[in-house]
Amino acid sequence: MMENVHLAPETDEDDLYSGYNDYNPTYDTEELENDTAFQQAVKTSHGRRPPITAKIPSTAVARPVATGCGSKTSLASSMGRPMTGAIQDGVTRPMTAVRAAGFTKAALRGSAFDPLGQSRGPAPPLEARNEDSPEEKIRQLEKKVNELVEESCIANSCGDLKLALEKAKDAGRKERVLVRQREQVTSPENINLDLTYSVLFNLASQYSANEMYPEALNTYQVIVKNKMFSNAGRLKVNMGNIYLKQRNYSKAIKFYRMALDQIPSVHKEMRIKIMQNIGVTFIKTGQYSDAINSFEHIMSVAPNLKAGFNLILSYFAVGDREKMKKAFQKLIAVPLETDEDGKYISPNDDPHTNLVIEAIKNDHLRQMERERKAMAEKYIMTAAKLIAPVIETSFAVGYDWCVEVVKASQYVELANDLEINKAIMYLRQKDFNQAVETLKMFEKKDSSVKSAAATNLSFLYYLENEFSQASSYADLAVNSDRYNPSALTNKGNTVFANGDYEKAAEFYKEALRNDSSCTEALYNIGLTCKKLNRLDEALDCFLKLHAILRNSAQVLYQIANIYELMEDPNQAMEWLMQLISVVPTDSRALSKLGGLYDSEGDKSQAFQYYYESYRYFPSNIEVIEWLGAYYIDTQFCEKAIQYFERASLIQPTQVKWQLMVASCFRRSGLRFLVRLCTDIGLKEVQEYATKLKRLEKMKEIREQRTKSGRDGSGGPRGRRDGSAGSDGGQNCGAGSRGERLSAQLRALPRTEEPYDSSSNKELDASYVDPLGPQIERPRTAAKKRVDEDDFADEELGDDLLPE
């Protein structure tokens, strides 16, 4: 029978019923006063709990329990059962079925009952972070890289592209340091790939924004070739965009197609955009058939305005009229995907509803809807103006077809605009009557259309100088729409033409109040104030206009002109310099700037701008006259001849230009003859050059003799020379030197020259004084000095125009 008995193994587990027969010191009431744990419990809330009703111990004796082996084990009576939570032999017995709070398996004998752990005191402080640990350094460096990437993006959004690129480069350097530190501390699998991808992508974007396209392409290649980056293939779209900016269309198409192959079909919107880029690239390369295939696919799958417009352009390029009509109908049918305008109108007088409508009337969503509608109208109007002249036999029939299609669509209001464009087309073909007839058809339409048509009619009549008709149609336009700034501006123009500047200014100001962006009205206010001699107000208007239109040549000229009227030439020259930077070929601005420099005494700068003005417009008489006078003043008479000859061609009836040419020839003398023969290549050039050299030598001798004669006339030497000459002595005076010089001049060979009207025949007729046309014979020093003084007076008093 013993083989069926299985003894319990001896383990370290607690015996739940062990120690029942042991003596429990808890019942030792005599020692309670000395028990510190009990006394502590009495002082706390545990001692103030209501007492537990004690059970009367029974008198039952222990009964033996039979075992399987026949042996009997006596059980302790109820008096011997320990209290729950009592400590026996240093071990605390757990409560039945529920472990008591504060129970510890290895509690010491006599330990205090402290279930909340109050005797252990406060919790120990947290362990201080070790900033020198590698993990902490990596964490701080990763945080710094993220901050640099964010700063780079913020700088890019603020327009500071250079700072954005510097931050991106700094983030890239620190990210590489971070990767090396991670490889030293942890395994390569723990590298933060998302951070690396963000840093590289931001760096490539900043390179592209700063137009550093090779660096951007290299950075994108690093991302694309790394297989650890998921979905990196779509970045090939960005690479295609860069090649498109570089006009490398073949590579752009290649990368667009590679990106299209790597993007799954579930991303329909992305694929449509890539196909649209492919179609645009085909248009730029002139492959219109391939572009048509791309845009036809887009319009069949997901039609949009840009694709429809590009499809019309492609058909226009190949000249397919029927396909242009079909594409225009597809463009008209593209849904706007905007809510109706009726929701912005209050249906009743509910204050709450009115407040809501007022709040959403101009919110971002409403602005987006307006922009989308404006873009759609722009595409439709541009396409209609493009195809109307070619889809039918005449542009009028083509416009009529487009108008009928538009009237049957959701863009009914564009039909009137097309009619007005039809009138403008008549004007371009110089068919004034048809334009007027077309515009007059709108006189019976609603107010807005009538006002637009009357405005155009008023402007047409104004251009024809029919101010009465222009004024009547301007009144019609203003009465139809009082808030039409163009109508008010035209009305002001008609009043301005009649000389009533004050009233014209009122109309211009009213137009500006209705539309603060009406630059025409602001410009006309400036002109009106200028007419009224209110230069400060005019200058203020044009400066405001300059802030709006930075590169307007008309505004810059008006500002410069006002400063000139205000007698501030420095400011006038500064604004004219800005004007020339905008329109460098404007001859009027160049001559104006030259005149200002001339008035300031800067002849060199004045000559530069006058010469540039003459180069761009060689028919300005004022510029020609100034340049000719400048060359005469600088003793280059032969250069002045070409300008006066051109002036004589422009004004052949003016005698003064021929006289100017003759005066220049008279002033030029033998020097010009030598230069002219050299340019033509005549054989007489050597003869003239020899004569010129001899005459220059004679002039030098004469000047030396004159100087010596002046020095000797006032001293004893002059008196001695004079007495010797009179006595016929051996010494040679001024007279003897003059005789020798006269003999030398007689020995010169003679030639026929035109300058012999008043000359003495003792000298050769070919002699021409470089300083003037007078021919002189050698004389004594005193006589020579007097004649030269007279000659100098004649030269200084010589005028360009002979009297």
Side-chain angles (χ1 to χ4, degrees):
M1 182 178 290
M2 290 296 295
E3 60 185 1
N4 296 326
V5 177
H6 301 281
L7 300 177
E10 295 181 0
T11 62
D12 294 336
E13 294 180 1
D14 296 337
D15 188 1
L16 188 61
Y17 297 99
S18 62
Y20 275 18
N21 293 329
D22 297 338
Y23 175 75
N24 191 345
T26 305
Y27 294 101
D28 190 359
T29 57
E30 295 178 357
E31 297 294 330
L32 288 179
E33 295 180 358
N34 299 327
D35 192 348
T36 57
F38 179 79
Q39 294 298 329
Q40 182 68 23
V42 170
K43 295 178 181 179
T44 61
S45 59
H46 297 283
R48 293 192 292 271
R49 288 181 299 176
I52 301 175
T53 304
K55 295 182 179 180
I56 300 174
S58 62
T59 57
V61 298
R63 298 188 301 273
V65 179
T67 66
C69 298
S71 60
K72 297 181 180 179
T73 303
S74 59
L75 296 175
S77 63
S78 60
M79 287 294 295
R81 186 178 185 276
M83 288 182 63
T84 302
I87 300 176
Q88 298 178 359
D89 297 334
V91 179
T92 306
R93 178 183 180 276
M95 294 178 65
T96 304
V98 179
R99 186 178 296 274
F103 171 77
T104 55
K105 180 178 179 181
L108 297 177
R109 182 183 179 88
S111 61
F113 180 76
D114 189 12
L116 300 179
Q118 296 178 358
S119 62
R120 292 196 299 267
L126 296 176
E127 183 178 356
R129 179 181 296 176
N130 187 8
E131 296 183 357
D132 296 333
S133 62
E135 292 81 4
E136 183 63 24
K137 289 182 178 180
I138 290 173
R139 188 161 43 250
Q140 293 296 328
L141 188 57
E142 184 175 349
K143 181 180 178 182
K144 181 62 178 177
V145 172
N146 281 316
E147 291 177 354
L148 287 173
V149 172
E150 292 178 0
E151 292 174 1
S152 175
C153 297
I154 293 173
N156 182 280
S157 63
C158 295
D160 194 348
L161 302 180
K162 185 177 180 181
L163 178 62
L165 181 58
E166 292 177 358
K167 295 288 185 181
K169 289 181 178 179
D170 195 10
R173 289 190 292 267
K174 285 184 169 52
E175 195 274 335
R176 288 191 291 271
V177 174
L178 175 62
V179 170
R180 288 195 293 268
Q181 291 185 4
R182 280 189 180 276
E183 289 176 349
Q184 294 175 1
V185 176
T186 61
S187 59
E189 290 79 8
N190 295 328
I191 296 177
N192 191 348
L193 293 177
D194 293 337
L195 181 61
T196 304
Y197 181 87
S198 300
V199 170
L200 291 175
F201 178 69
N202 179 62
L203 181 60
S205 301
Q206 302 308 329
Y207 275 134
S208 179
N210 285 271
E211 297 184 358
M212 302 172 65
Y213 298 130
E215 292 83 355
L217 290 173
N218 293 334
T219 309
Y220 278 127
Q221 285 286 1
V222 173
I223 302 175
V224 171
K225 290 183 178 180
N226 194 337
K227 297 182 179 179
M228 299 180 67
F229 295 138
S230 60
N231 299 325
R234 66 180 58 191
L235 292 182
K236 292 182 179 179
V237 178
N238 295 12
M239 300 176 70
N241 292 338
I242 293 176
Y243 281 120
L244 184 64
K245 292 178 182 178
Q246 293 180 331
R247 298 185 179 180
N248 192 346
Y249 301 124
S250 59
K251 280 196 173 182
I253 293 174
K254 175 184 175 182
F255 276 89
Y256 284 145
R257 286 178 170 172
M258 291 170 63
L260 192 63
D261 294 339
Q262 296 183 8
I263 292 178
S265 58
V266 294
H267 300 277
K268 294 182 179 179
E269 187 175 356
M270 177 67 71
R271 292 178 63 87
I272 289 296
K273 290 182 178 179
I274 296 175
M275 291 190 68
Q276 189 162 332
N277 288 359
I278 293 174
V280 171
T281 310
F282 276 131
I283 289 179
K284 290 183 177 292
T285 57
Q287 300 175 350
Y288 300 113
S289 59
D290 295 329
I292 289 172
N293 293 333
S294 298
F295 293 128
E296 283 284 3
H297 176 74
I298 295 173
M299 294 300 291
S300 62
V301 175
N304 61 77
L305 295 170
K306 291 183 179 180
F309 182 73
N310 289 331
L311 182 60
I312 293 175
L313 292 180
S314 302
Y315 282 131
F316 178 81
V318 298
D320 195 335
R321 296 183 177 182
E322 295 300 325
K323 293 292 182 65
M324 276 189 274
K325 291 183 178 181
K326 293 180 180 179
F328 185 76
Q329 292 174 345
K330 289 181 180 180
L331 177 63
I332 291 289
V334 173
L336 274 178
E337 298 179 357
T338 58
D339 295 335
E340 68 281 355
D341 295 336
K343 70 176 183 179
Y344 299 104
I345 301 175
S346 177
N348 48 37
D349 295 334
D350 185 11
H352 179 71
T353 306
N354 293 337
L355 287 175
V356 172
I357 292 175
E358 191 66 27
I360 68 174
K361 186 178 293 184
N362 198 29
D363 60 354
H364 292 292
L365 180 60
R366 176 61 172 165
Q367 293 176 4
M368 185 184 70
E369 291 176 350
R370 289 175 178 170
E371 292 175 0
R372 183 173 179 82
K373 186 176 181 180
M375 183 181 65
E377 293 177 354
K378 178 182 177 181
Y379 282 142
I380 293 171
M381 292 293 295
T382 306
K385 290 188 289 185
L386 180 68
I387 67 174
V390 297
I391 57 175
E392 297 292 345
T393 56
S394 65
F395 80 92
V397 180
Y399 265 105
D400 293 337
W401 182 87
C402 292
V403 168
E404 294 300 326
V405 174
V406 169
K407 285 182 178 178
S409 67
Q410 55 183 333
Y411 305 99
V412 182
E413 63 275 6
L414 293 181
N416 295 324
D417 295 336
L418 285 176
E419 290 283 356
I420 294 177
N421 284 329
K422 181 181 176 182
I424 294 174
M425 184 63 75
Y426 277 124
L427 287 176
R428 290 178 179 175
Q429 294 186 355
K430 298 182 179 180
D431 194 347
F432 181 76
N433 295 327
Q434 286 291 337
V436 172
E437 291 298 327
T438 305
L439 291 173
K440 285 183 177 180
M441 295 170 54
F442 292 96
E443 293 183 5
K444 297 181 180 180
K445 296 291 182 71
D446 57 344
S447 298
S448 60
V449 179
K450 183 192 299 184
S451 177
T455 301
N456 289 326
L457 285 170
S458 174
F459 186 68
L460 290 176
Y461 283 118
Y462 183 84
L463 294 178
E464 291 291 323
N465 293 328
E466 297 182 11
F467 299 123
S468 60
Q469 290 285 343
S471 179
S472 62
Y473 277 104
D475 292 333
L476 178 61
V478 171
N479 294 331
S480 300
D481 186 3
R482 185 68 187 181
Y483 300 99
N484 187 352
S486 299
L488 292 168
T489 303
N490 282 346
K491 180 60 179 176
N493 291 342
T494 58
V495 177
F496 185 93
N498 293 327
D500 193 351
Y501 304 124
E502 293 286 354
K503 191 174 181 181
E506 292 297 326
F507 281 108
Y508 296 144
K509 291 178 181 179
E510 185 178 356
L512 200 60
R513 285 193 295 268
N514 293 335
D515 185 6
S516 59
S517 63
C518 185
T519 56
E520 295 85 358
L522 184 58
Y523 184 87
N524 291 347
I525 290 174
L527 291 181
T528 307
C529 294
K530 185 178 174 183
K531 282 285 187 180
L532 295 172
N533 202 24
R534 300 173 185 170
L535 299 181
D536 293 332
E537 297 181 14
L539 181 61
D540 185 55
C541 291
F542 287 120
L543 288 176
K544 289 179 181 178
L545 197 58
H546 175 65
I548 301 172
L549 307 174
R550 301 296 299 180
N551 295 324
S552 175
Q554 295 177 345
V555 176
L556 292 172
Y557 178 80
Q558 292 294 338
I559 294 174
N561 183 248
I562 290 175
Y563 274 119
E564 184 182 4
L565 295 176
M566 297 172 68
E567 297 182 355
D568 191 349
N570 294 326
Q571 285 290 335
M573 287 188 287
E574 181 180 347
W575 285 97
L576 283 175
M577 290 292 292
Q578 295 186 32
L579 174 60
I580 291 174
S581 66
V582 175
V583 281
T585 60
D586 191 338
S587 63
R588 182 180 176 86
L590 290 168
S591 63
K592 194 72 174 177
L593 189 57
L596 289 174
Y597 275 111
D598 186 26
S599 63
E600 292 294 311
D602 193 345
K603 294 288 185 181
S604 59
Q605 287 288 343
F607 170 74
Q608 177 184 350
Y609 290 109
Y610 271 121
Y611 182 76
E612 288 293 318
S613 175
Y614 173 79
R615 190 163 65 89
Y616 290 118
F617 184 61
S619 299
N620 192 336
I621 293 295
E622 295 179 359
V623 175
I624 292 174
E625 187 174 6
W626 191 94
L627 289 173
Y630 173 80
Y631 279 119
I632 290 177
D633 291 341
T634 55
Q635 301 298 323
F636 290 98
C637 300
E638 61 274 13
K639 290 187 177 181
I641 292 174
Q642 59 177 339
Y643 294 102
F644 293 132
E645 287 179 345
R646 179 172 289 275
S648 65
L649 292 175
I650 297 173
Q651 295 180 348
T653 59
Q654 291 288 339
V655 180
K656 68 176 182 178
W657 304 125
Q658 285 82 2
L659 294 176
M660 288 283 196
V661 174
S663 177
C664 291
F665 276 118
R666 183 170 63 86
R667 287 173 176 270
S668 298
L670 189 57
R671 293 178 186 272
F672 179 69
L673 184 60
V674 172
R675 190 177 305 171
L676 189 61
C677 293
T678 303
D679 295 338
I680 299 176
L682 297 178
K683 60 182 180 180
E684 292 86 354
V685 63
Q686 188 63 35
E687 178 184 356
Y688 296 146
T690 304
K691 292 181 179 181
L692 178 62
K693 189 178 296 185
R694 288 177 181 175
L695 292 174
E696 289 177 348
K697 184 67 175 177
M698 290 170 57
K699 178 184 177 183
E700 183 180 355
I701 294 172
R702 186 183 61 187
E703 290 177 353
Q704 291 178 358
R705 187 179 67 250
T706 303
K707 182 178 180 181
S708 62
R710 288 178 179 176
D711 292 339
S713 61
R717 182 179 176 183
R719 288 193 298 271
R720 286 196 301 269
D721 291 342
S723 61
S726 61
D727 295 338
Q730 301 297 325
N731 295 333
C732 295
S736 61
R737 286 195 298 270
E739 292 174 358
R740 287 199 305 272
L741 182 59
S742 177
Q744 293 176 1
L745 291 176
R746 289 195 208 90
L748 292 175
R750 291 178 173 274
T751 57
E752 295 299 325
E753 291 289 339
Y755 305 99
D756 56 356
S757 59
S758 61
S759 61
N760 195 314
K761 296 302 179 181
E762 292 181 2
L763 286 177
D764 189 277
S766 63
Y767 173 76
V768 179
D769 193 334
L771 295 178
Q774 301 297 325
I775 300 175
E776 301 177 2
R777 65 174 67 89
R779 300 175 178 84
T780 61
K783 180 64 177 176
K784 184 67 178 176
R785 184 175 64 253
V786 174
D787 292 343
E788 284 178 344
D789 292 340
D790 295 338
F791 175 77
D793 293 339
E794 180 184 356
E795 285 296 319
L796 291 175
D798 191 12
D799 196 356
L800 291 178
L801 294 176
E803 298 180 1

